[in-house]
């Protein structure tokens, strides 16, 4: 599986209102990039553009992959809302992509992933019987099930308690090794643990603060992780 670099150069508007002014950035191939920035700055819009879910977005510019192959069929997006189907049980929800494409569903693998995200006791439940954090773990399993070279994660751990969040960060970092990951998060500590590269998006464009040299996922209590977390927070505060 070849995971390409992604590049975006351009501006976007929705309903005649500018979402972001001209930006240029690259998401390195096979690495984990965290995209940080205040609410409303356009982070989810960027993920939708890379995912090809650009209905209603007017984009003026270019979105490319380093190997010039199309995005279609090579991207999975974990959206900010979990988009679980209330009438399907958990394995069927995890297999939804295959079903929608008319492919046979690998329910064994879906159950294995649900076990890895800690939901083995809930396999026969419907999403309405789950907590917000459990639903988010189902959505993560569904994204991992897609097994794509480009993975877009929109605040994937936001509903999780601290312990589950650390566990799911470790699992995602492990299972997505070598993929090109673009991960939107509000959490500077999360970016400090996971990022090979950080993109910090503000009203005046994007900057790339350099993460510690150590390999992610970093220990949450390592001095370099905590120092970079504090540095990112300071940059975000200074930008407002
Ligand atoms: N469907 C929509 N209709 C109108 N405006 C929208 C829509 N989706 C997003 N926007 C606007 O685009 C801007 C960026 O939104 P979004 O990309 O969701 O921001 P972020 O993910 O950084 O919080 C916001 O000002 C938001 O109000
Ligand atoms: Mg968003």
């Amino acid at each position: 599986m070849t995971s390409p670099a992604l590049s975006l150069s351009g501006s976007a508007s929705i309903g005649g209102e500018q979402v972001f002014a001209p930006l240029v950035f690259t998401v390195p191939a096979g690495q984990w990039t965290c995209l940080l920035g205040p609410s409303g700055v356009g982070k989810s819009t960027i993920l939708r553009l890379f995912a090809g879910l650009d209905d209603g977005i007017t984009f003026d510019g270019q979105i490319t992959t380093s190997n010039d192959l199309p995005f279609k069929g090579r991207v999975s997006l974990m959206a900010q809302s979990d988009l679980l189907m209330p009438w399907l049980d958990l394995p069927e929800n995890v297999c939804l992509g295959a079903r929608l494409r008319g492919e046979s569903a690998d329910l064994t693998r879906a159950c294995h992933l649900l076990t890895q995200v800690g939901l083995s006791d809930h396999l026969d439940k419907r999403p309405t019987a789950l907590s917000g954090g459990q639903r988010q773990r189902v959505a993560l399993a569904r994204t991992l099930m897609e097994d794509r070279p480009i993975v877009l994660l929109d605040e994937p751990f936001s509903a999780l308690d601290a312990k589950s969040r650390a566990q799911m960060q470790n699992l995602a970092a492990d299972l997505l090794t070598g993929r090109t990951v673009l991960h939107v998060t509000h959490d500077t500590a999360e970016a400090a643990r996971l990022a090979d590269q950080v993109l910090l998006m503000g009203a005046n464009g994007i900057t790339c603060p350099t993460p510690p040299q150590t390999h992610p996922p970093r220990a949450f209590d390592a001095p370099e992780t905590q120092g970079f977390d504090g540095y990112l927070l300071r940059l975000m505060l200074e930008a407002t």
Side-chain angles (χ1 to χ4, degrees):
M1 181 183 299
T2 309
S3 298
L6 316 177
S7 297
L8 182 147
S9 158
S11 60
S13 56
I14 298 178
E17 297 269 326
Q18 187 169 74
V19 178
F20 54 83
L23 290 175
V24 181
F25 66 89
T26 296
V27 180
Q31 294 194 10
W32 191 295
T33 298
C34 285
L35 176 57
L36 283 164
S39 290
V41 80
K43 305 179 300 296
S44 295
T45 303
I46 285 175
L47 293 198
R48 284 174 58 203
L49 287 166
F50 279 128
L53 301 173
D54 50 3
D55 281 3
I57 306 174
T58 305
F59 179 65
D60 183 10
Q62 275 200 317
I63 292 176
T64 52
T65 59
S66 55
N67 54 11
D68 288 333
L69 294 172
F71 281 87
K72 195 169 169 11
R74 298 195 303 145
V75 180
S76 63
L77 168 67
M78 180 174 166
Q80 212 167 338
S81 57
D82 59 52
L83 305 174
L84 300 180
M85 300 294 135
W87 58 89
L88 298 177
D89 66 18
L90 301 195
E92 291 287 354
N93 261 292
V94 171
C95 291
L96 189 64
R99 292 267 194 244
L100 291 174
R101 292 189 294 273
E103 299 165 4
S104 64
D106 185 347
L107 287 167
T108 306
R109 184 157 170 266
C111 290
H112 178 64
L113 281 167
L114 284 162
T115 300
Q116 286 186 293
V117 299
L119 295 174
S120 56
D121 292 340
H122 306 277
L123 295 182
D124 56 354
K125 289 187 179 164
R126 300 283 185 277
T128 45
L130 301 180
S131 71
Q134 289 171 327
R135 291 175 64 106
Q136 203 167 35
R137 284 188 269 161
V138 180
L140 177 64
R142 188 177 56 192
T143 307
L144 297 170
M145 183 79 186
E146 291 294 299
D147 197 21
R148 298 295 167 95
I150 303 166
V151 180
L152 309 171
L153 304 171
D154 202 345
E155 301 188 31
F157 312 120
S158 58
L160 302 179
D161 62 85
K163 182 179 170 188
S164 302
R165 184 179 306 147
Q167 290 170 332
M168 292 304 106
Q169 287 170 346
N170 290 346
L171 178 71
D174 181 21
L175 296 184
L176 296 176
T177 299
R179 316 295 166 108
T180 302
V181 177
L182 183 56
H183 168 200
V184 168
T185 177
H186 281 296
D187 184 349
T188 51
E190 183 163 282
R193 283 204 76 208
L194 294 177
D196 292 303
Q197 179 186 240
V198 171
L199 299 171
L200 184 56
M201 188 172 177
N204 297 322
I206 281 190
T207 54
C208 301
T210 308
Q213 297 279 309
T214 49
H215 193 66
R218 301 181 185 92
F220 58 86
D221 53 355
E224 69 272 17
T225 313
Q226 293 185 334
F228 190 57
D229 173 18
Y231 177 60
L232 288 174
L233 193 52
R234 183 146 50 82
L235 289 178
M236 289 181 77
L237 287 170
E238 284 171 2
T240 54

